[in-house]
Amino acid sequence: MTKLRAAITAIQGYVPDFVLTNEILETMVDTSDEWITTRTGIKERRIQKGEGLATSDMAVEAVKGLLIKSGTKPEEVDLMICATVTPDMVYPATANIICDKAGIKNAFSYDLNAACSGFIYALVTGSQFIETGKYKKVIVVGADKMSSIVDYTDRQTCVIFGDGCGAVLLEPTTEETGIMDSILLSDGSGRIHLHQKAGGSLRPSSHETIDNKEHYIYQEGQAVFKFAVTRMADTAVEIMEKNNLKSEDIAWLVPHQANLRIIDATGKRMGLPREKVMINIQKFGNTTNGTIPLCLWEWENQLKKGDNIIIAAFGGGFTWGAIYLKWAYNSWQLL
Ligand code: ACO
């Protein structure tokens, strides 16, 4: 029997309009453009402003654009997975809300939380429904309103994160394209270094948790850096070796955009020149689940059918992994 693979057949991103520059941050906390640029590579990030707006409102912009671009009717969507750490509410799932706002009625939908690795976890999860033949159209969203959990008086974290999202459509193909292989891993003992202390069942919200600022991101930057820089590079190299790919066979590395130094270290370990690495951290910062689809969206016009792409991510949990993807279309096919 011919093997079915899950191919990305369209991609759409969305970032809010407001630009929070390093210069603005200099007026908010004791930091400098020079420190932020040399330590992280970030120059600016986007922030969702406005009352009553949430992660789903960004995601629905990307999803609606994706449906139009791919000529997909909302009722044709079988499944939507939303990877996020900033759901609109604890429940229901943000994916349910996105479907409602985008007019998607016949799909089942759920959220997936793997911090910054969420999008690759969701991509692999969604691809299983395609590969088994169960579904024909699966949307995978990576979306985060990080500004909703950032303490803008904490210089260690407020300079890093931004808001944004992307969505991809997965469809079956019998060609040798699509998701070819993946390695996904986790180590929950890493949670001590990166977490949100309150708001869950361990420590429900209270006046005390709010006074203690426990609803914001807690990150021990250096400890996370050490794990991220080795795990992301190790897994990217492992998936290359597993699939007999040499550096010259790789068209693009799509790394999670957490820190330019981590991105550079991963590219170097893979033997790739900078030109083959998608980098937009300078414009958007770390949008958590948004980083990888935002890169693919921005580079879409440069991607060619058959391009070998390695996607690599590391995030809270700890979670990490890599995907080997063979790009399935030339962008002009969508025009
Ligand atoms: N401006 C100026 N100085 C600062 C700032 C700032 N914004 N932030 C920290 N500093 C100071 C510190 O106080 C410290 O000062 P000290 O030496 O006097 O104590 C000094 O700068 C060095 O601080 P470090 O934390 O050691 O800086 P580092 O080089 O490690 O950079 C960073 C910090 C950018 C957070 C880095 O550690 C990093 O990128 N870590 C990994 C992040 C990551 O990959 N996260 C995973 C994904 S996120 C997710 O899953 C939600």
Side-chain angles (χ1 to χ4, degrees):
M1 214 173 84
T2 323
K3 183 172 169 49
L4 280 182
R5 291 188 191 280
I8 293 177
T9 54
I11 178 141
Q12 186 69 24
Y14 174 82
V15 286
D17 292 336
F18 183 81
V19 180
L20 179 60
T21 61
N22 289 351
E23 288 68 31
I24 300 175
L25 282 167
E26 282 175 348
T27 68
M28 296 164 63
V29 289
D30 180 15
T31 192
S32 66
D33 173 51
E34 200 264 331
W35 191 96
I36 303 171
T37 307
T38 52
R39 299 289 177 126
T40 70
I42 303 167
K43 284 288 191 189
E44 54 190 46
R45 61 296 282 147
R46 300 299 182 95
I47 304 294
Q48 188 187 37
K49 294 268 188 188
E51 277 298 303
L53 292 176
T55 297
S56 70
D57 296 292
M58 293 189 291
V60 81
E61 294 295 330
V63 168
K64 280 182 174 171
L66 185 77
L67 294 176
I68 293 168
K69 195 171 178 179
S70 61
T72 304
K73 296 190 189 79
E75 57 272 23
E76 290 178 312
V77 178
D78 299 306
L79 163 66
M80 150 122 29
I81 307 173
C82 177
T84 187
V85 296
T86 51
D88 287 20
M89 305 176 193
V90 174
Y91 68 89
T94 302
N96 305 159
I97 302 169
I98 301 167
C99 283
D100 179 48
K101 290 181 178 174
I104 295 171
K105 302 282 185 209
N106 300 328
F108 94 99
S109 59
Y110 58 91
D111 287 358
L112 189 153
N113 181 343
C116 290
S117 309
F119 185 76
I120 63 169
Y121 269 50
L123 204 54
V124 172
T125 307
S127 73
Q128 309 302 304
F129 290 91
I130 300 270
E131 287 173 18
T132 56
K134 182 150 176 85
Y135 292 133
K136 294 207 161 38
K137 289 186 191 290
V138 173
I139 292 180
V140 177
V141 175
D144 271 303
K145 179 177 178 169
M146 294 307 289
S147 61
S148 66
I149 55 167
V150 164
D151 175 2
Y152 284 96
T153 64
D154 173 17
R155 68 175 183 176
Q156 309 214 30
T157 50
C158 75
V159 301
I160 296 171
F161 295 97
D163 302 340
C165 68
V168 300
L169 180 64
L170 289 176
E171 292 184 281
T173 180
T174 50
E175 295 184 337
E176 275 291 292
T177 59
I179 295 172
M180 309 299 284
D181 197 10
S182 62
I183 300 171
L184 298 176
L185 294 157
S186 70
D187 176 358
S189 68
R191 70 188 181 281
I192 54 166
H193 302 296
L194 179 53
H195 55 259
Q196 188 177 316
K197 293 189 185 301
S201 57
L202 177 65
R203 207 159 154 66
S205 311
S206 66
H207 287 293
E208 189 190 0
T209 64
I210 290 172
D211 290 344
N212 293 342
K213 299 186 168 187
E214 292 177 37
H215 296 270
Y216 294 125
I217 297 163
Y218 172 82
Q219 174 167 264
E220 294 162 8
Q222 265 189 28
V224 179
F225 186 94
K226 279 186 202 142
F227 277 94
V229 81
T230 49
R231 299 293 190 280
M232 216 164 105
D234 286 351
T235 324
V237 169
E238 188 184 335
I239 205 161
M240 281 172 68
E241 288 173 355
K242 203 173 150 212
N243 290 279
N244 298 316
L245 293 166
K246 306 256 174 304
S247 312
E248 55 273 23
D249 301 323
I250 308 294
W252 297 100
L253 164 65
V254 192
H256 168 54
Q257 313 279 304
N259 186 311
L260 188 56
R261 290 182 285 149
I262 299 174
I263 295 171
D264 280 341
T266 306
K268 201 169 162 197
R269 279 275 307 281
M270 293 169 70
L272 298 180
R274 256 269 182 101
E275 312 81 76
K276 288 189 169 190
V277 183
M278 296 187 192
I279 300 171
N280 59 14
I281 191 171
Q282 71 284 2
K283 291 193 294 188
F284 303 137
N286 182 350
T287 55
T288 303
N289 286 284
T291 63
I292 288 165
L294 279 172
C295 280
L296 288 171
W297 175 55
E298 208 178 335
W299 268 263
E300 186 193 22
N301 283 337
Q302 296 181 54
L303 301 179
K304 293 191 292 298
K305 187 171 179 176
D307 275 354
N308 288 319
I309 297 173
I310 302 292
I311 307 177
F314 182 90
F318 294 136
T319 55
W320 67 98
I323 291 175
Y324 166 33
L325 176 74
K326 223 179 217 312
W327 197 247
Y329 61 96
N330 294 315
S331 60
W332 58 82
Q333 286 181 355
L334 281 174
L335 299 176

